[in-house]
Amino acid sequence: MYLVYLLLATICNMYFVGLQIASPGTFWGTVFSFSAVWFWLGLLFIVLFLMRRFALWQFIKKRTKIILASVVGTLFVIGGINLCFICNPRLADGTENVEYVIVLGGGITKNAELTDSVQARVKVAADYLQRHQTALAVVTGGKGPFSPCPESDVLKPALATYGIEDQRILAEDKAKDTIQNFQYSIQLLSEHTGKSVEEILSSPIAVVTNDFHLARSERLAKRIGFTEVYGVAARTPLFFRANCYCREICCYIKLNLRILLTGKPSKALAEEPSIAEPSLVKPSLVIDDKAVLD
């Protein structure tokens, strides 16, 4: 049995190293990213391996073992329930008549480049905009603590390379998490179109992000006040999926707790972006698949 722990430790640490190679970032960006969980999980399995190997388990009381097993089991059940919601977003079928397309940022590398996952969002957004010629796009993403520039500065030209006219793309450069993505996009659209916040919120929109992130994004958009939301999903590269979905489970649980305890986010935040509660910022080193919880 102890060899299983050693194998799991090896897999976790190799996965952590692979994530850093696939999406290089700054040292501190890596330390505070979600991907660091795999490093610590690897260390935990090493400790379990040593405890099994040298029969240290016998010094742990049976009651303690039962409590630990119960906690782990409960966490797996809660995670599984939330995963069911994460995997079932409302997907656009292409026949909807949306006015605005909000392309959510997910972070950039230390070289101010889009990773494969975020590039997939841009490509899917471009395809959608080409099929909905009257829709106005907003690319949203601000400057993280380890970022060389606001993410929207990279997203807008990337979207333009697919043939989307510059005048159809608005760049929102203040948001530091998904909630603020919507808050500041609403403000920007209101200023650009001359419409009230209520009119923007009552307009049908499409939200473009990666598949793992879509259900939570739709839920946040509706809580902030959008009445008609359609999801457009970009596929997450296979290598990143374990990290992305594990992170998203934690984010979804956090969102549920926040709603339960505070009732936020709410429609009031859409009208006054400045009153948004601060949340942990997405580091620039990588996309949502490695960022801290937002």
Side-chain angles (χ1 to χ4, degrees):
M1 179 64 183
Y2 63 86
L3 291 178
V4 174
Y5 291 128
L6 183 60
L7 177 62
L8 291 173
T10 302
I11 291 173
C12 287
N13 283 298
M14 288 181 64
Y15 188 51
F16 170 74
V17 172
L19 289 172
Q20 311 318 309
I21 295 174
S23 297
T26 62
F27 172 77
W28 289 112
T30 300
V31 169
F32 290 104
S33 70
F34 183 82
S35 64
V37 167
W38 298 101
F39 172 77
W40 294 110
L41 191 58
L43 289 185
L44 174 61
F45 282 127
I46 289 175
V47 171
L48 293 175
F49 162 73
L50 293 174
M51 293 181 70
R52 280 289 188 181
R53 179 67 178 82
F54 297 103
L56 299 179
W57 278 107
Q58 61 183 323
F59 298 107
I60 299 178
K61 295 180 179 180
K62 183 178 180 180
R63 182 180 178 182
T64 301
K65 293 179 181 179
I66 293 174
I67 292 174
L68 290 174
S70 299
V71 170
V72 172
T74 300
L75 290 175
F76 269 100
V77 171
I78 293 173
I81 293 172
N82 282 270
L83 183 60
C84 291
F85 288 102
I86 291 169
C87 293
N88 288 281
R90 179 189 182 185
L91 295 175
D93 59 15
T95 62
E96 60 282 345
N97 185 26
V98 301
E99 292 187 36
Y100 310 114
V101 177
I102 299 179
V103 185
L104 302 181
I108 53 178
T109 69
K110 63 181 180 180
N111 299 318
E113 297 176 346
L114 299 178
T115 59
D116 291 343
S117 293
V118 180
Q119 187 64 55
R121 299 186 190 188
V122 173
K123 185 178 185 304
V124 167
D127 292 340
Y128 191 85
L129 286 164
Q130 288 167 354
R131 296 196 304 271
H132 296 77
Q133 291 291 327
T134 61
L136 181 65
V138 179
V139 292
T140 169
K143 186 179 185 300
F146 311 108
S147 175
C149 66
E151 186 179 0
S152 60
D153 289 356
V154 184
L155 287 170
K156 183 173 181 176
L159 188 57
T161 60
Y162 286 96
I164 306 302
E165 299 85 350
D166 187 71
Q167 62 269 24
R168 292 182 64 197
I169 310 172
L170 303 181
E172 184 289 302
D173 61 1
K174 299 178 183 178
K176 301 189 188 312
D177 59 31
T178 306
I179 295 173
Q180 291 184 0
N181 283 148
F182 290 117
Q183 293 168 346
Y184 287 118
S185 293
I186 293 167
Q187 185 181 51
L188 180 61
L189 285 168
S190 179
E191 293 171 355
H192 180 80
T193 63
K195 295 182 179 180
S196 67
V197 168
E198 287 294 338
E199 289 177 303
I200 298 298
L201 291 174
S202 62
S203 303
I205 67 164
V207 177
V208 181
T209 186
N210 287 99
D211 43 18
F212 69 90
H213 188 226
L214 192 54
R216 180 164 58 96
S217 299
E218 292 177 345
R219 188 177 181 192
L220 286 170
K222 290 177 181 177
R223 287 197 62 85
I224 287 173
F226 283 106
T227 57
E228 195 172 351
V229 182
Y230 299 92
V232 183
R235 288 183 62 83
T236 303
L238 181 61
F239 182 72
F240 290 107
R241 288 184 188 174
N243 191 59
C244 290
Y245 278 96
C246 286
R247 175 188 178 275
E248 191 62 18
I249 289 171
C250 296
C251 288
Y252 210 86
I253 292 172
K254 177 191 171 186
L255 175 60
N256 287 329
L257 290 173
R258 181 177 183 180
I259 292 172
L260 179 64
L261 297 175
T262 70
K264 297 179 179 179
S266 62
K267 186 176 179 179
L269 295 182
E271 299 171 355
E272 298 182 63
S274 60
I275 68 172
E277 294 183 356
S279 57
L280 295 175
V281 176
K282 296 175 184 174
S284 65
L285 74 155
V286 71
I287 58 165
D288 264 324
D289 52 90
K290 284 178 62 184
V292 296
L293 308 187
D294 61 3

